[in-house]
Amino acid sequence: MSFTVRDAFWNKYRTLVADVMLPYEYDALNNSLADASIEKSHSLENIRIAAGESEEEFRGLVFQDSDTAKWLEAVAYSLLYKPNADLEKKADEVIRLIGKAQDEDGYFNTYFKLNRPQSRFTNLLEAHELYCAGHLIEAGVAYFEGTGKRTLLDISRRFADLLYRIFLTEGKKGVPGHPEIELALVRLYRATGEKNYLDLAKHFIDERGTDPDFFVKEAAARDWNVWTPNPKDTDYLQATRPVREEENAVGHAVRAAYLYTGMAMTAHETGDETLLAACKRMWRSIVDRRMYVTGGIGSTAVGEAFTADYDLPNDTNYCETCAAIALIFFAREMATMTNDAEYADVMERALYNNVLASFQQDGTHFFYVNPLEVDPALAGKIPLLRHVFPSRPGWHACACCPPNAARLLSSIDRYAFHESEGVLYADLFLGGTYDSATAALTVESALPRSGEVTCTLTRGADITLAVRIPSWSKRTVIRRNGEECVPTMQKGYALLNNLNAGDAIAITFDMTPRKIYANPKVAADFGKCAVSVGPRVFCFEDVDQSAPLEGACLKRGGALRLVQSDAGDHGGFYVRAEGTMSQSCDGLYSYHAPDEQPCELIAVPYHIWGNRGLGRMKVWLPER
Ligand code: FUB
Ligand code: ZN
């Protein structure tokens, strides 16, 4: 089954990834960016040292290997749609070095090989050995799928076999401090058919939380730490209780969502109903009470974590790019397992908003934290906002996010459709061609600028196409070969049955700009509203307003007008909203309400914010 993307909106991003982002990320990983003031990665140098081809010392964070692994994965996907001999040569060379650095028994981790060869698997709490192993495995699978080359897959398998021996055959106790290996092992199982990998994934999931003191005992048994860990903070580690007994999404958001993805994949492969029920509980906890309107997760910088129900501050939040990506992985697996449209709805929300906002339109600057409200006079400057950047830096000392965004965008074709029991599910409406043993079809899509999507079956007989009706489309019109029809709905998908080659389904989604209100329990959004058009959430930036954004207020019941043109710094696509601007008063306090003037406020898609210089940005504005 494959989907070839031919879509004006997405091709722009995928070309940017292939032509700009990946070469730039290679230079960042290689410490060879022209601008010497940008944070250094050291990731490739560490691998060269471990391979015996450099005399330097290990530098960077303990999990620096994982950035290169994600880059390799992204390169693999990009080569499928944009062959690039230079990039492939660089990737092959990195793989050669990894192979050379791999130990005889299959172990690969440059931090441990170079700094602590005697301490393998003694600090699962902090040292990210299994996290890095997971990313290496994912890269191995992807590179094989993308290029047909087996070297990295074989390297990954040798490592996975070693892990199986240590944790299952020899029975070493322990679970990863940072989940990721679980989902990677299921991917390896799917790619190779080797059941040991699935068993090991299930083992890590089943073990988790069965001994809440595990990390305390592990810490007591060693005389070194990476940082200053708190092994008792089992919520942060998603290890307070067995995963099947957990009620809420807790702790570090990226770890949580990778874990839930691994759980969903394992449940999918094994048919484990209790595990699926746990996934559904985690899902409800996230999307009903702990997720931002942009699809971001992680309300606090303290532990980069979930906090409590409805605690969704817009400025001090975290919403790490990796967390939104991990949520997309989780959503995608739940979608394919349950055929319920609500999962793809969230996938789409996180993709068009949190993920696309994470990088500059030039492809070489990246956010790690994705706020919904920024004031450059405060962001990065005052204590509670130290973690927030008002503009995207060229790289980060902890650079997990940039290559993660690259691997998602370069593999976005995999998220367009899924097939289950002969039914074709249209999840994301990317333009392109779908091809599987069941059927072939072409999709023409004007999203996200307008709501016209047409699916034409080019091969197949008696096919059922299930079209997701997104929650944002208030009124959706579906025409079958020109005739409007009202299909049966099933779990949020419109079912179009008995399709044969030549049949065309034209869908018109409702792209009327809409105001979004949060549940009043979300204190940060009470009395405010956000604006959206289709899958995209919009935001207000200083640069577009007649006066500083601090005084901006939307008019209750006021009109929203969509403006489209081919020009403009914001892609010619914005919303004019009726509102008011309050004037600043003399002094700090006054006995008079500020003067207020009616005005037109301009909102642009959230994902392009911060591309036109420094300024305030807000997704939610007061409304009255
Ligand atoms: O710990 C590895 C990665 O670095 C996490 O997933 C991110 O949150 C960042 O802390
Ligand atoms: Zn990250």
Side-chain angles (χ1 to χ4, degrees), residues 205-223:
I205 288 165
D206 291 348
E207 277 292 296
R208 192 162 205 96
T210 54
D211 177 6
D213 287 337
F214 166 74
F215 290 114
V216 175
K217 291 186 244 170
E218 189 203 52
R222 67 170 180 268
D223 58 3

Side-chain angles (χ1 to χ4, degrees), residues 70 131 254 320-323 368 398-402 404:
K70 276 184 267 187
Y131 169 84
V254 182
E320 182 182 335
T321 307
C322 287
Y368 178 101
C398 173
C400 45
C401 302
N404 220 357

